[in-house]
Amino acid sequence: MVDAAKIRRESMRWYILLTLQNAQPIGAFEELILTTLQGIYTDATQHEVRVQLDYLHSRDLVDIERKPDGRWFAKLDRYGVDVVEYTVDCEPGIARPPKHC
């Protein structure tokens, strides 16, 4: 049986990492991440972005800065860059596709 929620959650994590990779070296506010995700999942919410960012932060893949105005700013950590660039293994929980070539 396909677990659609798990696929969505793990795919969102991968897309967040890719978004932050493209935002290097500056990083990105959550609004940019949400807009990017809504290009794939039109019903993506700020809450989902924050939940997945928090997960990625707990795995030392992303640094999060909670701004005084309530906005979140995220940036790839060194290990996050390595995961996106396929230089290290990716543990379960992130839908990183297999590397081609």
Side-chain angles (χ1 to χ4, degrees):
M1 182 173 176
V2 175
D3 186 345
K6 179 179 183 241
I7 293 170
R8 178 183 172 110
R9 184 173 61 241
E10 293 181 357
S11 294
M12 282 186 162
R13 293 172 187 156
W14 176 244
Y15 294 128
I16 289 171
L17 292 174
L18 290 178
T19 300
L20 294 175
Q21 172 73 0
N22 283 295
Q24 288 277 59
I26 299 170
F29 279 101
E30 61 186 322
E31 293 89 351
L32 176 68
I33 298 167
L34 177 59
T35 300
T36 303
L37 286 178
Q38 287 175 334
I40 302 160
Y41 299 103
T42 56
D43 60 342
T45 65
Q46 179 189 42
H47 177 72
E48 285 180 298
V49 169
R50 288 185 172 189
V51 167
Q52 301 317 324
L53 279 172
D54 192 55
Y55 173 86
L56 294 169
H57 177 70
S58 72
R59 289 187 51 180
D60 296 326
L61 297 168
V62 170
D63 288 328
I64 298 173
E65 185 178 340
R66 292 166 176 85
K67 299 289 187 181
D69 63 0
R71 299 166 73 201
W72 285 25
F73 184 83
K75 186 174 180 179
L76 277 185
D77 200 347
R78 181 200 60 81
Y79 187 61
V81 172
D82 289 340
V83 167
V84 172
E85 293 181 351
Y86 290 84
T87 55
V88 296
D89 290 335
C90 183
E91 295 178 14
I94 299 171
R96 183 175 78 171
K99 183 178 181 180
H100 297 285
C101 60

